[in-house]
Amino acid sequence: MHILGPRRGVLIQFNQEDRRVAASFENTLVTAGWQRKRIMLEVLAATLVVLVLWVTIPAPDLALRITQIALGVVAITGVGLRHFYPRIAFTLAFISTVVAAVLGLTVDPLLLAGIALNSVAAQHGRRAFAPWMLGVVLAGAFISIFINVSGSEDDMRNVLFSGITLCGAWALGVKTRTAQQLVAANAAIEERMRLARDVHDVLSHSLGTIGVQASVAAHIDGLNQVQLRSTLRDIEQLSRSSIAELKMLLSTTRRTDDETALPAALPNLLAETARTAEQSGVLTTITATGIEELPAAHRITTHRIVREAVSNMIRHSGATQCDIKVTATDRSVTVTVTDNGRGDISHGNGGFGLMGMQERVNLLGGTFHTGTLPAGGFGISAVLPLAHGEYGENE
């Protein structure tokens, strides 16, 4: 047993690491495939622009036709490189389009250069209206008001359209950058909220239970030395377990919830929670069916709900009996925790524990109900839906 246990633990650790590496590699492949498709579509669109606004312009001779096609290929290349080297991509598309326009080989109002400029703004732009855009506006106004050269109306109109294209592409790119930053900020806020919720669940349960056990030991005059040592050992075990879970929780704050977020199997965790309630003087029964192969997110949520419900009951309800039921089918997981205490206890702790349970259930698209039972006591019920084919696939 002394050899098998550590080996099995190492094997599980390696398997979990292999799962994380495989999942990361798969996500990288999916992202790369999506980016390749996006680049191909953009290159096809750029090719269509060249065919319509470049190739349809007649060239006086073969040399200019070849030059026209070569410049169009350079502009298309710029569009294809915009996600990797945006400034180089803009330079290629802009210079090739301007040269072609001067030679009379295109009527493109810098559409391809605008596409590349959009990526420059999305990566480096800070203001939607940059100083250079004011210069473009003033130059366009000067040309349209003070310069009136007969026969150059089309050229002036093309210059104005080109300026509008570049300004619009830059503004859209900056808006995209702002939206991405907002999404990242919201993700960081959600991560902090998730961490605060998890820390609350861990600490409120352990500290609340330790406080109850210490209070009982301190107020019982006839407690002998054996009983006192047993209580102290229970407190030590609970504190060590909570510290280990808190360390594991903090070490996985930048990962999605997976098997490493739980220190033990779900049946063992539920049994430990029930044992904690019994040590606090509450007769606890637990019934669990089909929970061995639940997805990781459902296991974590089930564990947190049961533990938080039991923790609230121990600290606030004054109950002497508690019933825990967890039933998993191929469609959903149903969690109920009931007691014979004083009823609605949400006002006793400000409702933060109930709020955290509600948030966890909402993340999985489930339903959550609490309230005083008809026969007295308090009940918590949660239904966590399972996606089709999700049951058992995590193992």
Side-chain angles (χ1 to χ4, degrees), residues 226-239:
V226 176
Q227 293 173 326
L228 180 60
R229 288 186 178 275
S230 177
T231 301
L232 292 176
R233 281 195 296 267
D234 293 338
I235 291 176
E236 179 188 14
Q237 180 181 1
L238 181 59
S239 62

Side-chain angles (χ1 to χ4, degrees), residues 132-147 159-160:
W132 64 266
M133 296 170 64
L134 180 61
V136 172
V137 173
L138 294 178
F142 178 80
I143 292 174
S144 61
I145 295 175
F146 298 102
I147 297 180
V159 170
L160 291 177

Side-chain angles (χ1 to χ4, degrees), residues 250-266:
L250 296 176
S251 68
T252 58
T253 52
R254 291 303 177 185
R255 304 175 186 169
T256 57
D257 286 338
D258 56 11
E259 288 82 354
T260 61
L262 287 179
L266 180 57

Side-chain angles (χ1 to χ4, degrees), residues 49-267:
V49 171
V50 170
L51 292 176
V52 174
L53 300 180
W54 293 55
V55 179
T56 55
I57 305 301
D61 53 42
L62 180 60
L64 287 178
R65 172 63 75 178
I66 295 175
T67 302
Q68 181 187 55
I69 295 175
L71 291 174
V73 170
V74 173
I76 294 173
T77 302
V79 173
L81 293 176
R82 76 186 188 100
H83 295 292
F84 306 100
Y85 310 102
R87 290 174 176 171
I88 296 177
F90 171 70
T91 302
L92 292 176
F94 180 80
I95 293 178
S96 59
T97 304
V98 170
V99 171
V102 171
L103 296 177
L105 302 177
T106 183
V107 292
D108 176 15
L110 294 178
L111 287 178
L112 302 183
I115 294 175
L117 183 63
N118 178 267
S119 294
V120 177
Q123 294 190 19
H124 306 286
R126 295 185 178 182
R127 290 180 291 182
F129 192 85
W132 64 266
M133 296 170 64
L134 180 61
V136 172
V137 173
L138 294 178
F142 178 80
I143 292 174
S144 61
I145 295 175
F146 298 102
I147 297 180
N148 186 12
V149 180
S150 178
S152 63
E153 292 83 359
D154 292 339
D155 293 336
M156 293 184 352
R157 188 180 300 109
N158 198 24
V159 170
L160 291 177
F161 285 162
S162 298
I164 293 173
T165 299
L166 294 181
C167 292
W170 178 272
L172 183 60
V174 173
K175 292 296 183 182
T176 301
R177 175 184 174 88
T178 303
Q180 292 174 345
Q181 292 175 341
L182 182 60
V183 170
N186 290 336
I189 293 174
E190 291 179 359
E191 177 70 12
R192 287 195 293 268
M193 291 178 62
R194 184 190 70 83
L195 178 59
R197 187 168 56 244
D198 289 343
V199 171
H200 168 271
D201 290 348
V202 173
L203 294 184
S204 65
H205 171 74
S206 59
L207 295 180
T209 305
I210 288 173
V212 170
Q213 293 180 345
S215 176
V216 171
H219 289 82
I220 296 180
D221 297 332
L223 196 67
N224 59 41
Q225 186 175 6
V226 176
Q227 293 173 326
L228 180 60
R229 288 186 178 275
S230 177
T231 301
L232 292 176
R233 281 195 296 267
D234 293 338
I235 291 176
E236 179 188 14
Q237 180 181 1
L238 181 59
S239 62
R240 290 183 182 275
S241 175
S242 299
I243 292 175
E245 185 172 357
L246 189 60
K247 288 181 178 180
M248 187 172 298
L249 172 65
L250 296 176
S251 68
T252 58
T253 52
R254 291 303 177 185
R255 304 175 186 169
T256 57
D257 286 338
D258 56 11
E259 288 82 354
T260 61
L262 287 179
L266 180 57

Side-chain angles (χ1 to χ4, degrees), residues 307-341:
R307 191 169 66 172
E308 180 63 24
V310 170
S311 179
N312 287 345
M313 176 202 63
I314 293 174
R315 288 180 292 168
H316 306 292
S317 72
T320 58
Q321 294 182 357
C322 176
D323 187 19
I324 303 171
K325 293 182 180 179
V326 181
T327 304
T329 66
D330 58 347
R331 294 183 178 274
S332 64
V333 182
T334 303
V335 182
T336 58
V337 181
T338 59
D339 61 59
N340 64 343

